[in-house]
Amino acid sequence: MPSIITHAAVPLALWCAADRGRIPPRLLAAGVVAAMLPDADVLAFALHVPYADAFGHRGASHSLLFAGVLAVLAALLAFFGSRRPWSAPLCQPRLAPTGEANARSGRGRPWSAGLCQPRLASTVQAATFVFVCAASHPLLDALTSGGLGVALAWPWSEHRFFAPWRPIRVSPFAPQFFSARGVATLLSELRWVWLPLAGAVVAWKLIQPAPAAPRDPS
């Protein structure tokens, strides 16, 4: 696996690339957690679960299904959560521009349905962002030079997948992380993960059109 710190690179890059305020802080935090959470399966070693088992390291928690479950949870929190945790504006009752007369006569729809769209958009955004962050974890793991592959297709298949090209050095576990091997891993991650993502963010910002200047009312 890449180090746990490097798995946070994807949500951070998406946050930097997005327009200011597009990804609220709580959603960013949820994305970082989702990107790191699959490695909670290292507890399997303490429980003597074999590495190659479906619930061993890089097993079920590294599947696209697991990423989908996290995305559904994010969507539910965004839609039903108290205090609007993803900064999603709630639907507010308001008369439509031409609805006052119709409301009095009982005709038409007195409330504007378009007011619910921001909440729906925020829910979809939360689910999509969390899914991408969680799915980035096994995809990065598949690019590493050692260990077993990732069970992307679990539970339909327990096959462990590796990418055809694996440039990232596999990270040692905690006891060896602060060793020469750990330093080599961090340099490898800097070269193959952090720098390419930073370059992609800068390039994305450069190709974005400049915001339109406000017109002079006079």
Side-chain angles (χ1 to χ4, degrees), residues 24 78-79 83-92 114-123 125:
F79 196 80
R83 295 186 178 182
R84 295 174 287 176
W86 315 115
S87 298
L90 294 175
C91 299
Q92 297 293 337
L115 293 177
C116 291
Q117 292 178 359
R119 186 179 186 185
L120 177 60
S122 182
T123 301
Q125 175 193 0

Side-chain angles (χ1 to χ4, degrees), residues 8-213:
V10 172
L12 290 173
L14 292 174
W15 177 74
C16 291
D19 295 335
R20 180 174 297 180
R22 182 70 181 272
I23 299 176
R26 290 188 180 183
L27 182 53
L28 173 62
V32 171
V33 171
M36 295 179 173
L37 189 59
D39 273 345
D41 64 5
V42 295
L43 294 174
F45 292 117
L47 298 174
H48 304 291
V49 177
Y51 193 162
D53 189 85
F55 293 97
H57 184 46
R58 290 189 174 183
S61 68
H62 285 60
S63 66
L64 294 180
L65 176 64
F66 184 79
V69 170
L70 293 183
V72 170
L73 291 176
L76 291 175
L77 285 173
F79 196 80
F80 295 110
S82 62
R83 295 186 178 182
R84 295 174 287 176
W86 315 115
S87 298
L90 294 175
C91 299
Q92 297 293 337
R94 186 180 68 183
L95 287 175
T98 60
E100 185 174 354
N102 290 337
R104 290 177 180 176
S105 61
R107 299 192 305 270
R109 297 176 61 186
W111 310 119
S112 174
L115 293 177
C116 291
Q117 292 178 359
R119 186 179 186 185
L120 177 60
S122 182
T123 301
V124 174
Q125 175 193 0
T128 303
F129 181 73
V130 168
F131 178 82
V132 170
C133 293
S136 71
H137 185 117
L139 296 179
L140 283 177
D141 279 359
L143 291 168
T144 57
S145 60
L148 296 181
V150 292
L152 282 174
W154 182 91
W156 298 277
S157 171
E158 294 187 13
H159 177 73
R160 299 294 186 98
F161 294 88
F162 263 129
W165 181 55
R166 296 185 286 163
I168 306 173
R169 288 181 63 99
V170 67
S171 175
F173 291 107
Q176 297 179 331
F177 188 76
F178 297 101
S179 63
R181 182 183 170 191
V183 172
T185 297
L186 291 176
L187 291 175
S188 174
E189 293 171 359
L190 178 66
R191 178 183 181 185
W192 296 110
V193 181
W194 289 97
L195 290 180
L197 285 176
V201 169
V202 172
W204 175 256
K205 289 293 189 181
L206 290 176
I207 65 175
Q208 293 304 295

